[in-house]
Amino acid sequence: MHDNALGEDEITAGRGRNGEIQNLEGYVGFANLPNQVYRKSVKRGFEFTLMVVGESGLGKSTLINSLFLTDLYSKDYPGPSLRIKKTVQVPVINYIDSKCEDFLNAESRVNRRLMPDNRVHCCLYFIAPSGHGLKPLDIEFMKRLHDKVNVIPLIAKADTLTPEECQLFKKQIMKEIQEHKIQIYEFPDTEDDEDSKLIRKIKERMPLAVVGSNVVIEVNGKKVRGRQYPWGVAEVENGEHCDFTVLRNMLIRTHMQDLKDVTNNVHYENYRSRKLAAVTCNGGVDTSKTKNQMTRSPLAQMEEERREHVMKMKKMETEMEQVFEMKVKEKKQKLKDSEAELERRHEQMKKNLEAQYKELEEKKRHHDEEKSNWEAQQRILEQQKLDASK
């Protein structure tokens, strides 16, 4: 860094072409960088993949509809729990790894301009509101998942618990998460007081207790989204009733980029290191690794892609030559057919002219004969007249 670097408040003016001082319009400083990131994201777009995991009937589809204020899942397109056959084994980890594998392969290609990012950036893990802590399945699942994706635990259908029961349940879950050394999403450190207060508030509410609903209910003359019960209304967007707004703000407004950064810089790098650790520089595999860890090196993948590209170009060249030859043959055949047609028409016209010529010759001969006969008769008549006059 240069010693004469200027701070944010110091960059307030610049010199024009003639050397005069010019005041710059508006604020100038590094605080404008987020605006640049925002404009870039709006222009180019961005990918953010959210995964929801949990037992059937915990309200996963309802919560997704509530988060995005839309019927993403409906009767016409029900949630996965209704579309997929019931099973006790779901290959979630294989899915996460496969998306990292796709991204790794895309990085290794020669042309990397189009690299869709389908990696899972956040996993919302739904916990049943039993009030008795985590199930063994919850513990085992999160332990297998926590080093591959950002895990955020949620207490599903929190409106089935009283506020006191919910707080005790939260403490019990966090205690078990720490005892089993499960690593849930860690919020980034910040020096900003407002951000620190926000992060501290979110951490105190973990795991987040959520309620989902898109049903609009009128409460004291005010329309709210919630669930109607005999004892009252559980409001989705009321912070005293549940943590829905905390989750929504965290995912969409405050920590989406950090979730993407942690996915790329931590979880994906760990996956990438594991995959490439078994690969030697010549594309071979370290003998100390198992066969399940065998994979091709990026150089080998690039070489294979180059060969595939060359083969593809040769195939296209051959196909184009075949098409060209076929077109030439068709053109030649058309020319031959046209030539034969012209020859046929020429012969026909020649025959017609010859026939007409013969017909004219015949008429001329007949005319000459008639003329000769008429002249002979005239001579005879004239002779008879001369004889008669004598």
Side-chain angles (χ1 to χ4, degrees):
M1 186 175 189
H2 298 292
D3 294 333
N4 60 350
L6 298 177
E8 293 183 12
D9 296 332
E10 296 174 291
I11 310 177
T12 57
R15 293 188 178 274
R17 293 184 178 180
N18 298 325
E20 70 275 9
I21 299 295
Q22 295 179 335
N23 290 327
L24 300 179
E25 296 180 0
Y27 174 76
V28 178
F30 294 113
N32 276 320
L33 286 175
N35 296 330
Q36 299 178 31
V37 175
Y38 168 77
R39 289 194 297 269
K40 183 178 180 181
S41 298
V42 170
K43 181 179 180 180
R44 298 180 55 184
F46 61 93
E47 295 93 356
F48 181 78
T49 302
L50 178 65
M51 173 183 281
V52 290
V53 179
E55 299 177 14
S56 301
L58 292 183
K60 299 185 294 296
S61 301
T62 303
L63 182 70
I64 292 298
N65 289 343
S66 303
L67 280 174
F68 300 102
L69 289 175
T70 183
D71 291 331
L72 183 64
Y73 298 112
S74 60
K75 293 181 180 179
D76 297 330
Y77 186 75
S81 300
L82 298 176
R83 286 185 287 113
I84 301 176
K85 185 179 179 181
K86 296 293 186 294
T87 176
V88 296
Q89 182 179 6
V90 180
V92 175
I93 296 175
N94 293 338
Y95 178 83
I96 295 173
D97 286 343
S98 69
K99 297 306 173 184
C100 289
E101 178 73 18
D102 293 341
F103 194 82
L104 178 62
N105 292 335
E107 276 190 325
S108 304
R109 293 194 180 100
V110 176
N111 185 359
R112 301 193 303 173
R113 286 180 297 179
L114 298 177
M115 287 179 55
D117 183 6
N118 294 322
R119 295 171 296 182
V120 181
H121 301 109
C122 180
C123 175
L124 302 180
Y125 188 80
F126 282 64
I127 301 170
S130 63
H132 302 294
L134 296 173
K135 298 179 181 179
L137 178 62
D138 298 328
I139 296 171
E140 182 64 23
F141 199 96
M142 284 193 286
K143 286 179 70 174
R144 293 191 182 187
L145 209 63
H146 67 173
D147 62 343
K148 296 178 179 294
V149 69
N150 297 311
V151 178
I152 298 178
L154 302 179
I155 298 177
K157 296 186 175 181
D159 51 338
T160 61
L161 300 172
T162 65
E164 293 78 13
E165 290 173 340
C166 188
Q167 289 301 318
L168 291 175
F169 193 36
K170 284 187 175 186
K171 291 180 180 179
Q172 178 66 24
I173 291 173
M174 291 306 297
K175 180 182 177 182
E176 294 183 13
I177 284 177
Q178 293 174 359
E179 288 177 351
H180 293 282
K181 298 180 179 180
I182 298 172
Q183 301 171 7
I184 61 176
Y185 170 64
E186 186 68 26
F187 292 89
D189 296 329
T190 177
E191 297 180 358
D192 186 87
D193 292 338
E194 293 297 326
D195 290 344
S196 298
K197 290 180 182 178
L198 175 63
I199 291 175
R200 186 162 55 250
K201 179 182 177 181
I202 298 176
K203 285 185 175 180
E204 290 173 355
R205 288 176 173 255
M206 295 295 290
L208 301 179
V210 295
V211 177
S213 175
N214 275 347
V215 178
V216 178
I217 303 173
E218 187 170 338
V219 179
N220 298 326
K222 180 182 178 182
K223 292 184 178 180
V224 298
R225 288 192 298 151
R227 291 181 175 274
Q228 181 75 55
Y229 294 97
W231 46 264
V233 176
E235 299 178 22
V236 172
E237 296 174 313
N238 190 333
E240 295 180 358
H241 293 186
C242 68
D243 302 323
F244 173 82
T245 54
V246 177
L247 174 66
R248 183 181 62 188
N249 291 338
M250 182 191 69
L251 290 176
I252 301 174
R253 296 180 60 187
T254 60
H255 288 82
M256 176 184 285
Q257 187 59 47
D258 186 68
L259 288 165
K260 294 180 63 176
D261 292 340
V262 173
T263 298
N264 185 69
N265 301 331
V266 179
H267 298 299
Y268 172 68
E269 283 301 317
N270 290 339
Y271 173 85
R272 183 174 176 273
S273 299
R274 289 194 300 266
K275 293 293 289 185
L276 299 182
V279 182
T280 60
C281 61
N282 61 355
V285 181
D286 191 346
T287 56
S288 62
K289 304 297 180 179
T290 61
K291 291 183 178 180
N292 292 334
Q293 294 174 311
M294 295 177 64
T295 184
R296 295 172 298 168
S297 68
L299 292 177
Q301 293 182 19
M302 290 172 62
E303 179 62 23
E304 181 177 348
E305 289 179 6
R306 189 191 67 81
R307 289 196 299 267
E308 290 178 355
H309 180 70
V310 171
M311 293 295 293
K312 184 178 179 180
M313 293 301 295
K314 288 184 177 179
K315 182 179 179 181
M316 290 177 61
E317 184 180 356
T318 302
E319 292 176 351
M320 290 178 66
E321 289 179 352
Q322 292 175 351
V323 172
F324 179 76
E325 291 179 358
M326 182 179 67
K327 293 292 185 182
V328 170
K329 288 181 179 179
E330 291 178 355
K331 196 68 174 178
K332 287 182 176 179
Q333 187 62 41
K334 287 182 179 180
L335 290 174
K336 288 182 178 179
D337 294 342
S338 299
E339 185 178 356
E341 179 64 18
L342 289 172
E343 184 69 23
R344 184 189 65 78
R345 293 173 61 183
H346 175 73
E347 290 295 328
Q348 184 65 37
M349 290 177 65
K350 184 179 178 181
K351 290 180 179 179
N352 292 340
L353 289 173
E354 290 178 351
Q356 292 177 8
Y357 179 76
K358 289 180 180 179
E359 184 179 355
L360 290 172
E361 287 291 327
E362 182 64 24
K363 288 181 178 181
K364 182 176 179 296
R365 186 184 63 77
H366 183 68
H367 174 72
D368 291 341
E369 288 180 355
E370 288 182 348
K371 181 181 178 182
S372 298
N373 292 335
W374 181 80
E375 290 177 347
Q377 289 177 359
Q378 289 297 322
R379 286 194 298 269
I380 293 172
L381 290 173
E382 287 179 0
Q383 186 63 40
Q384 289 176 351
K385 286 179 180 180
L386 289 173
D387 293 340
S389 63
K390 289 179 180 182

